[in-house]
Amino acid sequence: MVITGAMTSSRRPPNLLLRAARLRLESTTGDGPMSREELADLANSIMDPRDQDGPVTANDIGKLERGLVSYPRKYRRQALRTILKVETDAEIGLVNRRIRPTDAIPGALPLAGAGATVERSSPAPRLPVRVDQSIEDPAITVKPGSGLGITAPALTLDDLDRIDAVARDARRYLDETLIGFLDDELTRCAVDDGLHGPRYALPGALGILAIVQRNARSVKWAVRRPLLRVGARAAEFTGWLYRDAGHPAAADYWRDRASEWAMEAADYAMPGYILIKKSQSAWDARDATRMLGLAEAVQDGPWQLPARVMAEAVQQQARGLAMLQSSRTDVDDTLKRARDLLEQGPADKTPLAAHYDAVLFRVQTAICYGESGRPEEAAAIYEAALKPTTFSTRDYAYFSALHAQALVSAARPVEAASVGMAIMPGAIAAGSTRTVRELTRLGTVLSPWRQRAEVQSFIRMMQNQ
């Protein structure tokens, strides 16, 4: 009985939101992020005198972050909310399991992926993806009870073992060879993401970040900058994983950490590249002004960016112009400038934007055309460029969802619904909340044709997931 209880407790996922909120605060000594002990001391200093549980300790904070305790008493929660500057318990991952019987923490990463390559002794716990809370555009919000029950596995004990395995392997390397090991691990994570989505890539990425944070103070001075450079790339990649999984706050946290590490390592191109990533995240919420402002800031900044990176920024600028209903001439001229920069890209010797190629640019051009009122042209580009052999399963599903939206704008709802049904299994298997959002948008724009049999089938398929 004791063993069974321990196994049940260990399956609870760590409270990543609480830990991230603590690490965002600076230590009272000004040397790094706030420690658990400092957070406990601050909580005690403002604790309501009616609290009868005694002082909060660093061990108590550790239990909360590891998920061993999920819901402290009222006055402790109140103190933590005040210090961490949030309004609700859920924002820092505190959940009362007595009223929500699940080991999954609301707001924690809804990691998902195809389980073909990972063997498990038991099914992973399931975490509902609350699409109504994820979508920021009120015009397309899916209300609770609408039936969109898309689920994904939560962080499991296997994932925690993978994080720890990265750290164990790293101990075999000296300072000079540690960088090569971390580079290889980061490449492996990128492959995992391409094949299976964020569900399988995140544990390895978090393991790399833990090693960087642990070793940055102790490695030889000559190794510190190379370590921070690979850490910056890992943090940027982790930000992407959280973005794809539908957690923009965590994504922003790791992007900001990537900028900080990169600047300390004298990698002044990375902060400009991070602005591109933030501009792309603004697209997820269809925030055109923020997207355009960030894309232009990339081009005006003090950094020297490779041509391929600049091409991606200029393409983002074109999309922002299209969304703000600029003239087609302005959009097309901006796209031409991006295309010219991209053609210079093969000469760049940089890992930044290594994925950005002519095929991806064509698909992004289709997005611009769709936003500038040319859905027929957009659909034609999608049909020519989108191939499942060219894109990963997740990316193919994502861009196909945008293709389907263009088809609706071109008054081709039956074809749009067919595309949506074809890609939905892949989107859900990849655990890409970003793609699920686009499928939700597709369902909304298809609603005027809900009497069509194909459209009904698509909506029913969404509801039955």
PDB file of all heavy atoms in Angstrom, residues 100-129:
ATOM      1  N   ARG A 100     -11.512  19.180  -8.391  1.00  0.00           N
ATOM      2  CA  ARG A 100     -11.156  18.837  -9.765  1.00  0.00           C
ATOM      3  C   ARG A 100     -10.258  17.607  -9.694  1.00  0.00           C
ATOM      4  O   ARG A 100      -9.044  17.720  -9.582  1.00  0.00           O
ATOM      5  CB  ARG A 100     -10.438  19.991 -10.454  1.00  0.00           C
ATOM      6  CG  ARG A 100     -11.325  21.185 -10.674  1.00  0.00           C
ATOM      7  CD  ARG A 100     -10.623  22.218 -11.509  1.00  0.00           C
ATOM      8  NE  ARG A 100     -10.301  21.685 -12.824  1.00  0.00           N
ATOM      9  CZ  ARG A 100      -9.788  22.414 -13.795  1.00  0.00           C
ATOM     10  NH1 ARG A 100      -9.507  23.677 -13.606  1.00  0.00           N
ATOM     11  NH2 ARG A 100      -9.510  21.880 -14.973  1.00  0.00           N
ATOM     12  N   PRO A 101     -10.843  16.429  -9.683  1.00  0.00           N
ATOM     13  CA  PRO A 101     -10.080  15.209  -9.439  1.00  0.00           C
ATOM     14  C   PRO A 101      -9.176  14.834 -10.609  1.00  0.00           C
ATOM     15  O   PRO A 101      -9.502  13.966 -11.407  1.00  0.00           O
ATOM     16  CB  PRO A 101     -11.169  14.156  -9.225  1.00  0.00           C
ATOM     17  CG  PRO A 101     -12.320  14.666 -10.035  1.00  0.00           C
ATOM     18  CD  PRO A 101     -12.252  16.164  -9.943  1.00  0.00           C
ATOM     19  N   THR A 102      -8.034  15.497 -10.698  1.00  0.00           N
ATOM     20  CA  THR A 102      -7.075  15.180 -11.742  1.00  0.00           C
ATOM     21  C   THR A 102      -5.694  15.537 -11.259  1.00  0.00           C
ATOM     22  O   THR A 102      -5.533  16.426 -10.441  1.00  0.00           O
ATOM     23  CB  THR A 102      -7.379  15.947 -13.041  1.00  0.00           C
ATOM     24  OG1 THR A 102      -6.329  15.700 -13.966  1.00  0.00           O
ATOM     25  CG2 THR A 102      -7.491  17.433 -12.821  1.00  0.00           C
ATOM     26  N   ASP A 103      -4.716  14.850 -11.752  1.00  0.00           N
ATOM     27  CA  ASP A 103      -3.336  15.161 -11.402  1.00  0.00           C
ATOM     28  C   ASP A 103      -2.759  16.235 -12.295  1.00  0.00           C
ATOM     29  O   ASP A 103      -1.609  16.624 -12.145  1.00  0.00           O
ATOM     30  CB  ASP A 103      -2.465  13.902 -11.530  1.00  0.00           C
ATOM     31  CG  ASP A 103      -2.724  12.947 -10.396  1.00  0.00           C
ATOM     32  OD1 ASP A 103      -3.247  13.382  -9.359  1.00  0.00           O
ATOM     33  OD2 ASP A 103      -2.390  11.780 -10.558  1.00  0.00           O
ATOM     34  N   ALA A 104      -3.530  16.708 -13.265  1.00  0.00           N
ATOM     35  CA  ALA A 104      -3.031  17.731 -14.184  1.00  0.00           C
ATOM     36  C   ALA A 104      -3.266  19.107 -13.611  1.00  0.00           C
ATOM     37  O   ALA A 104      -4.314  19.387 -13.041  1.00  0.00           O
ATOM     38  CB  ALA A 104      -3.742  17.610 -15.526  1.00  0.00           C
ATOM     39  N   ILE A 105      -2.296  19.986 -13.741  1.00  0.00           N
ATOM     40  CA  ILE A 105      -2.395  21.339 -13.217  1.00  0.00           C
ATOM     41  C   ILE A 105      -2.966  22.251 -14.289  1.00  0.00           C
ATOM     42  O   ILE A 105      -2.431  22.322 -15.383  1.00  0.00           O
ATOM     43  CB  ILE A 105      -1.019  21.860 -12.787  1.00  0.00           C
ATOM     44  CG1 ILE A 105      -0.499  20.981 -11.634  1.00  0.00           C
ATOM     45  CG2 ILE A 105      -1.075  23.305 -12.367  1.00  0.00           C
ATOM     46  CD1 ILE A 105       0.878  21.363 -11.184  1.00  0.00           C
ATOM     47  N   PRO A 106      -4.082  22.968 -14.031  1.00  0.00           N
ATOM     48  CA  PRO A 106      -4.606  23.882 -15.027  1.00  0.00           C
ATOM     49  C   PRO A 106      -3.554  24.903 -15.423  1.00  0.00           C
ATOM     50  O   PRO A 106      -2.896  25.499 -14.578  1.00  0.00           O
ATOM     51  CB  PRO A 106      -5.786  24.556 -14.312  1.00  0.00           C
ATOM     52  CG  PRO A 106      -6.148  23.617 -13.206  1.00  0.00           C
ATOM     53  CD  PRO A 106      -4.871  22.957 -12.801  1.00  0.00           C
ATOM     54  N   GLY A 107      -3.410  25.087 -16.710  1.00  0.00           N
ATOM     55  CA  GLY A 107      -2.437  26.041 -17.200  1.00  0.00           C
ATOM     56  C   GLY A 107      -1.083  25.428 -17.445  1.00  0.00           C
ATOM     57  O   GLY A 107      -0.237  26.039 -18.058  1.00  0.00           O
ATOM     58  N   ALA A 108      -0.846  24.198 -16.941  1.00  0.00           N
ATOM     59  CA  ALA A 108       0.429  23.549 -17.235  1.00  0.00           C
ATOM     60  C   ALA A 108       0.449  23.129 -18.690  1.00  0.00           C
ATOM     61  O   ALA A 108      -0.586  23.015 -19.338  1.00  0.00           O
ATOM     62  CB  ALA A 108       0.628  22.331 -16.342  1.00  0.00           C
ATOM     63  N   LEU A 109       1.625  22.882 -19.196  1.00  0.00           N
ATOM     64  CA  LEU A 109       1.796  22.601 -20.611  1.00  0.00           C
ATOM     65  C   LEU A 109       0.989  21.389 -21.043  1.00  0.00           C
ATOM     66  O   LEU A 109       1.161  20.297 -20.537  1.00  0.00           O
ATOM     67  CB  LEU A 109       3.272  22.336 -20.904  1.00  0.00           C
ATOM     68  CG  LEU A 109       3.612  21.933 -22.324  1.00  0.00           C
ATOM     69  CD1 LEU A 109       3.272  23.069 -23.266  1.00  0.00           C
ATOM     70  CD2 LEU A 109       5.070  21.558 -22.437  1.00  0.00           C
ATOM     71  N   PRO A 110       0.063  21.523 -22.012  1.00  0.00           N
ATOM     72  CA  PRO A 110      -0.678  20.375 -22.513  1.00  0.00           C
ATOM     73  C   PRO A 110       0.168  19.624 -23.523  1.00  0.00           C
ATOM     74  O   PRO A 110      -0.043  19.707 -24.721  1.00  0.00           O
ATOM     75  CB  PRO A 110      -1.907  21.017 -23.170  1.00  0.00           C
ATOM     76  CG  PRO A 110      -1.425  22.344 -23.638  1.00  0.00           C
ATOM     77  CD  PRO A 110      -0.362  22.765 -22.667  1.00  0.00           C
ATOM     78  N   LEU A 111       1.147  18.883 -23.030  1.00  0.00           N
ATOM     79  CA  LEU A 111       2.080  18.203 -23.910  1.00  0.00           C
ATOM     80  C   LEU A 111       1.376  17.054 -24.605  1.00  0.00           C
ATOM     81  O   LEU A 111       0.745  16.231 -23.972  1.00  0.00           O
ATOM     82  CB  LEU A 111       3.253  17.662 -23.090  1.00  0.00           C
ATOM     83  CG  LEU A 111       4.052  18.733 -22.357  1.00  0.00           C
ATOM     84  CD1 LEU A 111       4.916  18.087 -21.294  1.00  0.00           C
ATOM     85  CD2 LEU A 111       4.910  19.494 -23.331  1.00  0.00           C
ATOM     86  N   ALA A 112       1.541  16.998 -25.914  1.00  0.00           N
ATOM     87  CA  ALA A 112       0.901  15.924 -26.650  1.00  0.00           C
ATOM     88  C   ALA A 112       1.822  15.413 -27.710  1.00  0.00           C
ATOM     89  O   ALA A 112       2.683  16.103 -28.197  1.00  0.00           O
ATOM     90  CB  ALA A 112      -0.401  16.430 -27.287  1.00  0.00           C
ATOM     91  N   GLY A 113       1.595  14.198 -28.097  1.00  0.00           N
ATOM     92  CA  GLY A 113       2.407  13.669 -29.181  1.00  0.00           C
ATOM     93  C   GLY A 113       1.991  12.264 -29.518  1.00  0.00           C
ATOM     94  O   GLY A 113       1.249  11.614 -28.810  1.00  0.00           O
ATOM     95  N   ALA A 114       2.462  11.754 -30.630  1.00  0.00           N
ATOM     96  CA  ALA A 114       2.173  10.402 -31.048  1.00  0.00           C
ATOM     97  C   ALA A 114       3.029   9.455 -30.226  1.00  0.00           C
ATOM     98  O   ALA A 114       4.225   9.583 -30.164  1.00  0.00           O
ATOM     99  CB  ALA A 114       2.473  10.246 -32.529  1.00  0.00           C
ATOM    100  N   GLY A 115       2.414   8.494 -29.579  1.00  0.00           N
ATOM    101  CA  GLY A 115       3.136   7.639 -28.666  1.00  0.00           C
ATOM    102  C   GLY A 115       3.838   6.474 -29.319  1.00  0.00           C
ATOM    103  O   GLY A 115       4.214   5.522 -28.643  1.00  0.00           O
ATOM    104  N   ALA A 116       4.064   6.509 -30.621  1.00  0.00           N
ATOM    105  CA  ALA A 116       4.604   5.358 -31.315  1.00  0.00           C
ATOM    106  C   ALA A 116       6.018   5.015 -30.890  1.00  0.00           C
ATOM    107  O   ALA A 116       6.415   3.859 -30.921  1.00  0.00           O
ATOM    108  CB  ALA A 116       4.567   5.609 -32.820  1.00  0.00           C
ATOM    109  N   THR A 117       6.804   6.014 -30.474  1.00  0.00           N
ATOM    110  CA  THR A 117       8.205   5.750 -30.191  1.00  0.00           C
ATOM    111  C   THR A 117       8.519   5.702 -28.709  1.00  0.00           C
ATOM    112  O   THR A 117       9.656   5.555 -28.329  1.00  0.00           O
ATOM    113  CB  THR A 117       9.079   6.830 -30.835  1.00  0.00           C
ATOM    114  OG1 THR A 117       8.765   8.089 -30.252  1.00  0.00           O
ATOM    115  CG2 THR A 117       8.857   6.893 -32.321  1.00  0.00           C
ATOM    116  N   VAL A 118       7.504   5.852 -27.864  1.00  0.00           N
ATOM    117  CA  VAL A 118       7.755   5.833 -26.422  1.00  0.00           C
ATOM    118  C   VAL A 118       6.949   4.706 -25.808  1.00  0.00           C
ATOM    119  O   VAL A 118       5.727   4.640 -25.980  1.00  0.00           O
ATOM    120  CB  VAL A 118       7.367   7.173 -25.768  1.00  0.00           C
ATOM    121  CG1 VAL A 118       7.524   7.091 -24.266  1.00  0.00           C
ATOM    122  CG2 VAL A 118       8.228   8.279 -26.335  1.00  0.00           C
ATOM    123  N   GLU A 119       7.593   3.831 -25.095  1.00  0.00           N
ATOM    124  CA  GLU A 119       6.901   2.722 -24.467  1.00  0.00           C
ATOM    125  C   GLU A 119       6.523   3.116 -23.052  1.00  0.00           C
ATOM    126  O   GLU A 119       7.328   3.654 -22.305  1.00  0.00           O
ATOM    127  CB  GLU A 119       7.808   1.487 -24.431  1.00  0.00           C
ATOM    128  CG  GLU A 119       8.155   0.971 -25.811  1.00  0.00           C
ATOM    129  CD  GLU A 119       9.057  -0.233 -25.752  1.00  0.00           C
ATOM    130  OE1 GLU A 119       9.414  -0.639 -24.622  1.00  0.00           O
ATOM    131  OE2 GLU A 119       9.401  -0.755 -26.805  1.00  0.00           O
ATOM    132  N   ARG A 120       5.296   2.815 -22.676  1.00  0.00           N
ATOM    133  CA  ARG A 120       4.813   3.148 -21.341  1.00  0.00           C
ATOM    134  C   ARG A 120       4.184   1.902 -20.734  1.00  0.00           C
ATOM    135  O   ARG A 120       3.545   1.118 -21.416  1.00  0.00           O
ATOM    136  CB  ARG A 120       3.769   4.266 -21.388  1.00  0.00           C
ATOM    137  CG  ARG A 120       4.303   5.559 -21.978  1.00  0.00           C
ATOM    138  CD  ARG A 120       3.212   6.624 -21.947  1.00  0.00           C
ATOM    139  NE  ARG A 120       3.652   7.839 -22.601  1.00  0.00           N
ATOM    140  CZ  ARG A 120       4.392   8.770 -22.023  1.00  0.00           C
ATOM    141  NH1 ARG A 120       4.774   8.609 -20.785  1.00  0.00           N
ATOM    142  NH2 ARG A 120       4.741   9.846 -22.676  1.00  0.00           N
ATOM    143  N   SER A 121       4.335   1.795 -19.427  1.00  0.00           N
ATOM    144  CA  SER A 121       3.736   0.661 -18.747  1.00  0.00           C
ATOM    145  C   SER A 121       2.263   0.897 -18.472  1.00  0.00           C
ATOM    146  O   SER A 121       1.524  -0.034 -18.214  1.00  0.00           O
ATOM    147  CB  SER A 121       4.475   0.403 -17.422  1.00  0.00           C
ATOM    148  OG  SER A 121       4.431   1.563 -16.601  1.00  0.00           O
ATOM    149  N   SER A 122       1.830   2.148 -18.529  1.00  0.00           N
ATOM    150  CA  SER A 122       0.428   2.470 -18.300  1.00  0.00           C
ATOM    151  C   SER A 122       0.094   3.722 -19.073  1.00  0.00           C
ATOM    152  O   SER A 122       0.976   4.506 -19.402  1.00  0.00           O
ATOM    153  CB  SER A 122       0.150   2.695 -16.806  1.00  0.00           C
ATOM    154  OG  SER A 122       0.946   3.760 -16.322  1.00  0.00           O
ATOM    155  N   PRO A 123      -1.200   3.956 -19.377  1.00  0.00           N
ATOM    156  CA  PRO A 123      -1.558   5.147 -20.145  1.00  0.00           C
ATOM    157  C   PRO A 123      -1.198   6.412 -19.399  1.00  0.00           C
ATOM    158  O   PRO A 123      -1.251   6.470 -18.171  1.00  0.00           O
ATOM    159  CB  PRO A 123      -3.087   5.010 -20.300  1.00  0.00           C
ATOM    160  CG  PRO A 123      -3.379   3.567 -20.035  1.00  0.00           C
ATOM    161  CD  PRO A 123      -2.342   3.116 -19.053  1.00  0.00           C
ATOM    162  N   ALA A 124      -0.829   7.446 -20.154  1.00  0.00           N
ATOM    163  CA  ALA A 124      -0.533   8.740 -19.544  1.00  0.00           C
ATOM    164  C   ALA A 124      -1.825   9.385 -19.088  1.00  0.00           C
ATOM    165  O   ALA A 124      -2.875   9.195 -19.685  1.00  0.00           O
ATOM    166  CB  ALA A 124       0.163   9.645 -20.558  1.00  0.00           C
ATOM    167  N   PRO A 125      -1.797  10.166 -18.000  1.00  0.00           N
ATOM    168  CA  PRO A 125      -2.987  10.898 -17.581  1.00  0.00           C
ATOM    169  C   PRO A 125      -3.404  11.879 -18.638  1.00  0.00           C
ATOM    170  O   PRO A 125      -2.587  12.347 -19.428  1.00  0.00           O
ATOM    171  CB  PRO A 125      -2.527  11.624 -16.297  1.00  0.00           C
ATOM    172  CG  PRO A 125      -1.047  11.698 -16.416  1.00  0.00           C
ATOM    173  CD  PRO A 125      -0.645  10.463 -17.152  1.00  0.00           C
ATOM    174  N   ARG A 126      -4.664  12.205 -18.672  1.00  0.00           N
ATOM    175  CA  ARG A 126      -5.193  13.069 -19.720  1.00  0.00           C
ATOM    176  C   ARG A 126      -5.473  14.469 -19.178  1.00  0.00           C
ATOM    177  O   ARG A 126      -5.941  14.636 -18.071  1.00  0.00           O
ATOM    178  CB  ARG A 126      -6.490  12.486 -20.291  1.00  0.00           C
ATOM    179  CG  ARG A 126      -6.352  11.060 -20.777  1.00  0.00           C
ATOM    180  CD  ARG A 126      -5.412  10.935 -21.953  1.00  0.00           C
ATOM    181  NE  ARG A 126      -6.028  11.434 -23.161  1.00  0.00           N
ATOM    182  CZ  ARG A 126      -5.419  11.434 -24.335  1.00  0.00           C
ATOM    183  NH1 ARG A 126      -4.199  10.977 -24.440  1.00  0.00           N
ATOM    184  NH2 ARG A 126      -6.011  11.908 -25.401  1.00  0.00           N
ATOM    185  N   LEU A 127      -5.178  15.460 -19.978  1.00  0.00           N
ATOM    186  CA  LEU A 127      -5.380  16.856 -19.590  1.00  0.00           C
ATOM    187  C   LEU A 127      -6.232  17.538 -20.644  1.00  0.00           C
ATOM    188  O   LEU A 127      -5.858  17.593 -21.802  1.00  0.00           O
ATOM    189  CB  LEU A 127      -4.037  17.577 -19.491  1.00  0.00           C
ATOM    190  CG  LEU A 127      -4.072  19.099 -19.323  1.00  0.00           C
ATOM    191  CD1 LEU A 127      -4.748  19.457 -18.003  1.00  0.00           C
ATOM    192  CD2 LEU A 127      -2.669  19.659 -19.372  1.00  0.00           C
ATOM    193  N   PRO A 128      -7.430  18.039 -20.283  1.00  0.00           N
ATOM    194  CA  PRO A 128      -8.256  18.706 -21.281  1.00  0.00           C
ATOM    195  C   PRO A 128      -7.639  20.019 -21.719  1.00  0.00           C
ATOM    196  O   PRO A 128      -7.150  20.790 -20.905  1.00  0.00           O
ATOM    197  CB  PRO A 128      -9.591  18.946 -20.545  1.00  0.00           C
ATOM    198  CG  PRO A 128      -9.213  18.970 -19.104  1.00  0.00           C
ATOM    199  CD  PRO A 128      -8.052  18.029 -18.954  1.00  0.00           C
ATOM    200  N   VAL A 129      -7.660  20.269 -23.011  1.00  0.00           N
ATOM    201  CA  VAL A 129      -7.198  21.543 -23.550  1.00  0.00           C
ATOM    202  C   VAL A 129      -8.402  22.468 -23.594  1.00  0.00           C
ATOM    203  O   VAL A 129      -9.330  22.264 -24.370  1.00  0.00           O
ATOM    204  CB  VAL A 129      -6.609  21.369 -24.966  1.00  0.00           C
ATOM    205  CG1 VAL A 129      -6.195  22.722 -25.530  1.00  0.00           C
ATOM    206  CG2 VAL A 129      -5.417  20.425 -24.926  1.00  0.00           C
TER     207      VAL A 129
END
